[in-house]
Structure formats: structure tokens, C-alpha cells
Amino acid sequence: MRHTNSARIFRAAKKVIPGGVNSPVRAFGAVGGTPPIIARGHGARVYDADGNEYIDYVGSWGPLILGHAHPAVVSAVTAAAKRGTSFGAPIEAEVRLAELITGAYSAAEKVRLVNSGTEATMTALRLARAFTKRDVIVKFAGCYHGHSDCLLAKGGSGLMTLAIPSPPGVPKAFTALTAVLPYNDLAAVERFAKSRRGKIAAIIVEPVAANMGVVPPAKGFLEGLRKLCDRMRALLIFDEVITGFRVAWGGAAGLYGVRPDLVAFGKVIGGGLPVGAYGGRADIMDLMAPVGDVYQAGTLSGNPIATAAGIATIEALERRGTYAELERKGRALEEGLREAFASAGVPATLTRVGSLMTAFFAKGPVTDYASAVKSDTKAYARFFHGMLERGIYLAPSQFEAAFVSLAHTNSDIEDTIVAARETLASRRMKGAQHERR
Ligand code: PMP
């Protein structure tokens, strides 16, 4: 594969953009090398500035559940743009998107549209604190909820990839109100709750953790959080920015049958355009201005083009069988990869919920941050580059999910498994095994 154009563009990028990227993990820091510059995408594939073609499992980090440039999304966006790009006034499409979300996700009785997942979780916390009149927030190590100050402590995603547990620029006083506990450890949450009785405003959790690699909730974990929140009259906030409309039509709340008080969405609900949303119980949501006096606003919130992409995406997901299809494709990939790792004798732990999957280079089990971080990230980096050379575009970090979309065909998945077998058997990986011994 030639990368001359990508290398040239990335050199220019580094002169004018910190690290050459507008979001840190894209820079390939954890796996080495320089990223291909993506020129276009179609279905399950992306094409770089040198014309190389890849089967894509990043999918813009989650939004593209229908694949790239899906015709329904492209035509909805084009038609919306022709009618005007932004008004800063109410439009009918935002009502339609809100109806689709509240219709699918019963815990979201009302929703407010914003522009990113970060805004959604940040505002959900503000609302929870205002409603409970308490200050302390519980989050879990390895969960990522966007980059607002009080949520940056021990975050997953780029913070985990780049090993930045407590990033500078966030005053200690801000994160002093954020308790970070181990994921899947209900006893730890109960102990903490006892020690801070009457102080905890909310527990925020990714109901399927997907920012330390995919870590499914242990049996009873989400139910336990629900009961505990009820007991201490704190709010349970599900961050469904990745899982919303991804793991099931009703998100993780629907899949596991646990109802949060508040929820944050992003990614899929914007179909690849900048959209987030927070929602929840109507009595809590009605504390927001202009009904109440908790404040949040946005020049581009409910933007017509972004809203059109979200509606087109969710309407396409609404047809029967989509989630069964995602499950089938996810399972085929998981089973093929599991077999590839086993026959190569490379220790791995595969975790998956529907179309979200991670192959950890670790003996496992992987249940939380401490066990995820034991992965052999150097081996992952070698695997990643072996796959990239064979035209498979995975996340450039061990601690991220692979996103399977409806556009991935059976033969895309078979090709991916063949590439994995070849990569795992290649000299590059073999060398690593000798080193380990
Ligand atoms: N919450 C979760 C679970 C996420 O995965 C992300 C982004 N990956 C966010 C929040 C933040 O969303 P955004 O990048 O749109 O601000």
C-alpha cells in the first residue's frame, strides 16, 4: 500500500492542528505510524487519499450503523440543506426526532437535542445536581462520558489509550465531587454510598462499557445500581451515547430491562452529523429553562441538517429485523476471530454485545478497567498494522470497540476473519510470542 498523499497531508496537518488531529485517538499514537487520510466512504468501506480501500470497523466511532453515505441519509441531508442550514428557531424535524427517541426509549419521556455526547452528559449531570440538590457524582473507571471537567477523572477512550488518568487543566476542586469506582463492582458502590449518605446526586454509567474496549455489565450490576439509587434517592444516568439505538431499539435500558432516570444519547441519533441529546423523566426534564431555571442552550441545537440525518437513520433502523441482523453479523465476526486467535495460539478475550465488539490481547476475564489494562497493547499494535495492511480498518487503540454496521456483508466479515488469521500467523505476531517467552 502506498501512503504518499496521506503522509504529505498529515505533515501539513501537524503544522496547523495539534498532533495533526481534531480528536486525539485518530493520531495513531497508541499503535505507531501515521493515519491514512480518509477521502471518502461508501457502505462498509472507506478509501484514503492514496486510493487504498479498507473495510471499516470504526464507523466514525459509532454513528454509522447504516454504513457510510447511506442513500436515505444523503438524500435527507441534501434536501434539508436546500431548505436552509440553520434558523435558531423551532422546526418540525426536531419534534419528529424527539418523538422517535421518546417512542423507542420509554425512560426518555422528554428529550432536549444538543450537538455532542459531551454536552448531553454534562447537562444531565447539571440537571441531576439541581434536581437532587446534591453535589457528588459517581462514575466508573474506564467509562468515558465526554470531556467536560468533572467527568474527565479516570476516563476511558483516549484518556486510557494515552494513559492520562487525571488531565491537567481540570482543577482538583472540580473532580473532588466525582467519585471513581470500579465497573461491575456493586459492593464498592454500596460501600461508597454508605460513606456519603445524602450527598450523592447521581450515578452515571455506560450500561455497556465501550470505552475501555467492550465490557458488558455483570449480571445484576445495572439492576443493583437502580435499587441503590432508589434507596438513596439519587438519580441513575445511563450514558447511551454509544449504546443508544445500537445494542437494541430501546438501547441498553431496553436490552437489560433497567430504567434510568436520565439518559444521554449521541452518535447513532445523528447518523454521522453532530447531534447529542439528553432526556429522562418529564418531572426532571421540566426543570430546564425555559420551564425551570436550570440552564443549557445551543446556537445549532436541533439543527435542520443534523436532525434530518438522525431521523433518516432511526427510520431505517425501525424496520423489522435490523437488530437481529446486527447480532448475526456481530456473532459471525466474534466466532471467526475467536477461532483465528485459538488456532494461532494467541491468548485473547473476546467481548461483544450485538454489533459492539473487542478482542482484548489478554487472558481475561475482562470485567473492568484493571483487567482491561492488562492487555498486551504492543501485540494489539502489531495486529492493528497487520490488519490495516490487509485492508481492514480497526480502531487505532486496544481500548475501543469495533463497530459492525448493517452495511457489512457476510463476505466483508469473512474477509476480515481471513485477514485476522493471516495477521496472527504472520512473522510480525510470531516474533511477539517469542519475545514473551
Ligand atoms: N459518552 C460516551 C459513552 C462516548 O462514547 C462518547 C464519545 N465517544 C461521549 C460520551 C462523548 O461524545 P462526543 O464525542 O460526541 O462529545
Side-chain angles (χ1 to χ4, degrees):
M1 269 186 195
R2 279 165 56 97
H3 293 288
T4 357
N5 291 336
S6 281
R8 177 181 48 78
I9 297 168
F10 196 62
R11 271 196 306 276
K14 282 198 284 195
K15 290 193 183 141
V16 287
I17 306 174
V21 288
N22 282 312
S23 198
V25 179
R26 294 179 199 170
F28 277 30
V31 291
T34 55
I37 303 294
I38 304 301
R40 66 191 174 89
H42 181 76
R45 278 151 212 270
V46 288
Y47 303 82
D48 71 17
D50 293 279
N52 300 308
E53 177 180 332
Y54 308 89
I55 301 176
D56 177 27
Y57 289 96
V58 174
S60 186
W61 303 92
L64 300 182
I65 198 163
L66 306 180
H68 293 271
H70 187 277
V73 176
V74 172
S75 74
V77 162
T78 312
K82 285 185 181 153
R83 291 191 296 266
T85 56
S86 183
F87 306 111
I91 59 169
E92 192 170 2
E94 62 193 350
V95 186
R96 171 74 184 141
L97 183 54
E99 284 172 351
L100 282 168
I101 296 170
T102 55
Y105 198 98
S106 68
E109 294 165 4
K110 287 192 174 180
V111 288
R112 181 55 82 69
L113 301 180
V114 291
N115 304 294
S116 66
T118 295
E119 277 184 76
T121 54
M122 176 180 79
T123 315
L125 284 194
R126 182 178 306 150
L127 185 52
R129 283 172 160 156
F131 180 80
T132 57
K133 302 189 173 65
R134 299 172 179 177
D135 293 337
V136 176
I137 298 295
V138 173
K139 81 172 279 286
F140 296 96
C143 286
Y144 177 69
H145 303 291
H147 60 88
S148 70
D149 282 344
C150 66
L151 283 168
L152 275 182
K154 275 228 173 148
S157 192
L159 295 163
M160 188 166 177
T161 299
L162 304 172
I164 312 176
S166 43
V170 180
K172 278 217 176 66
F174 289 20
T175 46
L177 293 170
T178 309
V180 185
L181 300 177
Y183 194 78
N184 273 332
D185 188 346
L186 203 51
V189 190
E190 280 174 355
R191 273 195 306 278
F192 181 78
K194 244 185 218 153
S195 75
R196 306 299 289 270
R197 210 179 289 257
K199 299 272 190 274
I200 299 171
I203 298 179
I204 183 165
V205 63
E206 287 181 71
V208 174
N211 281 293
M212 48 179 149
V214 173
V215 178
K219 204 160 181 283
F221 179 58
L222 300 174
E223 293 84 345
L225 295 180
R226 175 69 276 172
K227 281 195 192 125
L228 191 60
C229 283
D230 289 342
R231 212 160 63 218
M232 60 186 184
R233 280 193 260 136
L235 300 184
L236 180 60
I237 306 175
F238 276 2
D239 179 347
E240 299 237 27
V241 168
I242 284 184
T243 50
F245 290 96
R246 161 68 66 179
V247 296
W249 176 244
L255 188 63
Y256 296 103
V258 177
R259 191 180 170 91
D261 301 292
L262 292 174
V263 55
F265 294 102
K267 308 210 187 241
V268 172
I269 67 157
L273 273 85
V275 182
Y278 62 94
R281 276 165 43 190
D283 60 326
I284 306 176
M285 290 299 288
D286 280 340
L287 289 189
M288 294 310 298
V291 193
D293 50 13
V294 182
Y295 203 71
Q296 167 271 322
T299 301
L300 295 176
S301 294
N303 172 268
I305 302 177
T307 312
I311 294 170
T313 299
I314 296 178
E315 284 179 347
L317 290 171
E318 207 171 3
R319 72 183 160 79
R320 274 220 340 243
T322 43
Y323 290 95
E325 188 180 335
L326 286 165
E327 167 64 24
R328 186 173 55 69
K329 288 176 173 171
R331 190 186 316 126
L333 182 62
E334 180 194 347
E335 284 171 359
L337 288 183
R338 192 182 296 284
E339 210 268 318
F341 276 98
S343 62
V346 177
T349 303
L350 275 85
T351 53
R352 181 179 69 84
V353 177
S355 56
L356 289 175
M357 203 193 82
T358 297
F360 289 99
F361 281 75
K363 279 214 189 80
V366 178
T367 56
D368 59 7
Y369 183 91
S371 46
V373 90
K374 283 188 191 146
S375 303
D376 183 346
T377 51
K378 291 205 177 96
Y380 180 81
R382 284 189 287 265
F383 179 68
F384 168 84
H385 280 293
M387 293 296 272
L388 196 67
E389 278 164 17
R390 291 171 176 82
I392 312 292
Y393 192 93
L394 302 173
S397 162
Q398 167 76 97
F399 305 117
E400 302 284 357
F403 295 92
V404 177
S405 76
L406 289 164
H408 286 93
T409 61
N410 293 342
S411 85
D412 288 336
I413 289 171
E414 279 161 25
D415 290 350
T416 307
I417 294 163
V418 170
R421 263 201 218 111
E422 283 177 17
T423 301
L424 290 167
S426 65
R427 292 236 311 273
R428 188 201 284 269
M429 298 303 293
K430 285 252 158 60
Q433 279 174 348
H434 290 311
E435 270 165 40
R436 260 207 304 280
R437 271 186 226 128

